[in-house]
Amino acid sequence: MNRRQTIPKHLRYTIRDFNEQFPDDAACLEHLMQQRFPGNVTYCDKCQQERKHYRIIGRPVYSCDHCGTQISPMAGTIFEHSSTSLRLWYYAMYLMASTRCGISAKQIQRETGVTYKTAWRMFRQIRSLLSEPDMQLEGSAVEMDETYYGGKAKQGRGRPMRGDKQKTPVIGIMERSSKKRVGRVKAMATPDVTSERVLGIVHEHILPKSTVFTDEYVIYDRLGGRVKEHKRINHSSKVYVMGDVHTNTIEGFWSLVKRGIGGVYHSVSQKYLQTYLDEFSFRYNRRDQGNLIFKAFLQRACELVAPHAVEASGMTPAIQEPF
Ligand SMILES: [Zn+2]
């Protein structure tokens, strides 16, 4: 099946569209400028007022039309201090936004000729923009489940054996799709899996009027009373669906992430795993937008980032990604 054919025309954004909109670095820079300072108007420190700015040909800066003071639209974004061309950054985002299962740094290394380290660092930076910390699920039906990444034992549904400390737990909540909206997911790498942790997440991200579906694991025991209704499926008796009682939607998301991440991670830090979860959730939560997810990536990339979030050069990939 050709997946492209399934995307409605108004939601398509093909590589041809990309090449037309962003033929070179200058086009990307102009886009960034317009996103940050519409109409090229922004505050000039020297004039101490809003001024129109003009592009300096040959340099990635704009200058005040009154006093000539220069500004860079890249300042404060993930592109600042990067020696990688802006168009390559845009292309990396286009690739990331256009897949369901993610894309490896290896692939962009092969396609563009940048080093693996550069490609890895770009992806790492882009992923860092994709978190949605304050998102609250508003659906009336929410599934909750946990899964584990890394460690020696096979990844997947299995809860860790005692002493298997290499596994990083991830707790997920997923609202089921309704006529009004496409169901969204929130996946959180957590230091532990306890009923306190579960209650904290419910309190923070799920409306009290929701019905929550889980399996029979003990950490979900105290959920009743915190939400409108708590329904549980008895997996240990090999029952997976009873009417609307199941956790299949969130489990489908876990398999999507696992397929994407591919091979086994060893000793992946929680913070690092979280950025992968954020990337998969960001796309999943916009899956009704077709290829226009790219626009959402661009929007994030044009926002300012905290100064510490821009990584120092010389940082090396901590893990080997799947090829
Ligand atoms: Zn000025």
Side-chain angles (χ1 to χ4, degrees):
M1 184 182 81
N2 184 350
R3 261 183 54 78
R4 259 200 211 150
Q5 303 281 337
T6 66
I7 299 174
K9 202 171 177 190
H10 68 285
L11 297 178
R12 272 180 228 160
Y13 188 90
T14 63
I15 186 66
R16 180 181 290 185
D17 297 323
F18 176 84
N19 287 331
E20 270 174 28
Q21 191 181 356
F22 301 112
D24 49 28
D25 283 345
C28 299
L29 191 74
E30 186 56 27
H31 173 266
L32 180 60
M33 183 71 186
Q34 288 306 322
Q35 291 293 305
R36 292 199 54 197
F37 312 116
N40 286 16
V41 175
T42 184
Y43 190 80
C44 172
D45 280 339
K46 197 167 171 194
C47 297
Q48 301 208 325
Q49 58 176 286
E50 299 278 313
R51 291 285 192 202
K52 189 138 181 130
H53 286 68
Y54 288 97
R55 174 79 203 273
I56 305 273
I57 301 300
R59 298 194 50 215
V61 292
Y62 288 71
S63 81
C64 169
D65 73 345
H66 187 77
C67 73
T69 300
Q70 296 181 351
I71 56 159
S72 162
M74 289 193 267
T77 69
I78 55 167
F79 313 119
E80 191 179 10
H81 307 309
S82 169
S83 55
T84 307
S85 86
L86 203 51
R87 186 169 190 275
L88 194 55
W89 276 101
Y90 274 50
Y91 183 56
M93 283 187 278
Y94 172 76
L95 289 179
M96 251 173 138
S98 307
T99 75
R100 257 176 100 228
C101 286
I103 180 165
S104 70
K106 272 279 168 203
Q107 190 167 338
I108 196 161
Q109 178 194 10
R110 275 196 300 265
E111 278 199 38
T112 65
V114 297
T115 64
Y116 177 76
K117 206 162 137 181
T118 299
W120 184 89
R121 205 181 289 145
M122 270 201 293
F123 278 174
R124 168 77 185 77
Q125 290 281 66
I126 296 166
R127 276 188 199 106
S128 73
L129 302 170
L130 303 179
S131 70
E132 303 183 278
D134 304 324
M135 190 181 88
Q136 190 177 50
L137 300 191
E138 287 159 21
S140 57
V142 175
E143 297 175 22
M144 188 169 197
D145 192 31
E146 12 76 57
T147 189
Y148 302 85
Y149 287 91
K152 283 183 188 141
K154 196 169 159 277
Q155 291 188 66
R157 291 207 45 76
R159 285 170 174 133
M161 308 300 285
R162 204 176 302 172
D164 191 357
K165 290 198 174 126
Q166 286 180 308
K167 279 186 181 241
T168 303
V170 176
I171 299 180
I173 46 178
M174 162 85 75
E175 63 191 359
R176 290 185 185 159
S177 296
S178 64
K179 276 181 192 153
K180 268 196 258 166
R181 67 162 81 237
V182 59
R184 294 166 306 163
V185 68
K186 188 164 182 62
M188 291 152 277
T190 59
D192 54 41
V193 181
T194 60
S195 75
E196 284 71 29
R197 182 77 53 193
V198 164
L199 290 178
I201 289 171
V202 169
H203 180 72
E204 196 81 16
H205 302 290
I206 301 179
L207 296 178
K209 63 177 185 193
S210 307
T211 297
V212 177
F213 300 88
T214 70
D215 60 24
E216 76 293 353
Y217 195 30
V218 63
I219 59 167
Y220 303 115
D221 280 357
R222 288 161 57 197
L223 249 165
R226 306 296 180 112
V227 289
K228 186 179 154 207
E229 207 176 353
H230 179 205
K231 295 186 177 179
R232 310 178 87 168
I233 192 81
N234 193 356
H235 281 159
S236 59
S237 317
K238 303 248 184 290
V239 178
Y240 293 99
V241 181
M242 247 169 114
D244 68 342
V245 187
H246 63 80
T247 51
N248 288 357
T249 327
I250 182 98
E251 285 166 37
F253 179 73
W254 294 146
S255 14
L256 180 74
V257 176
K258 275 165 191 166
R259 269 203 310 280
I261 290 180
V264 180
Y265 272 130
H266 288 290
S267 61
V268 45
S269 76
Q270 282 171 13
K271 191 182 164 201
Y272 188 79
L273 176 61
Q274 186 62 54
T275 66
Y276 273 87
L277 296 169
D278 289 343
E279 179 196 337
F280 279 89
S281 307
F282 191 86
R283 271 195 305 261
Y284 187 87
N285 294 343
R286 289 162 181 76
R287 64 197 181 283
D288 58 339
Q289 296 171 22
N291 298 136
L292 301 186
I293 294 176
F294 174 52
K295 302 270 157 98
F297 270 68
L298 281 183
Q299 207 174 356
R300 289 285 174 107
C302 293
E303 287 167 9
L304 299 186
V305 292
H308 65 269
V310 180
E311 275 165 9
S313 57
M315 186 175 166
T316 48
I319 56 128
Q320 188 65 39
E321 277 191 335
F323 282 42

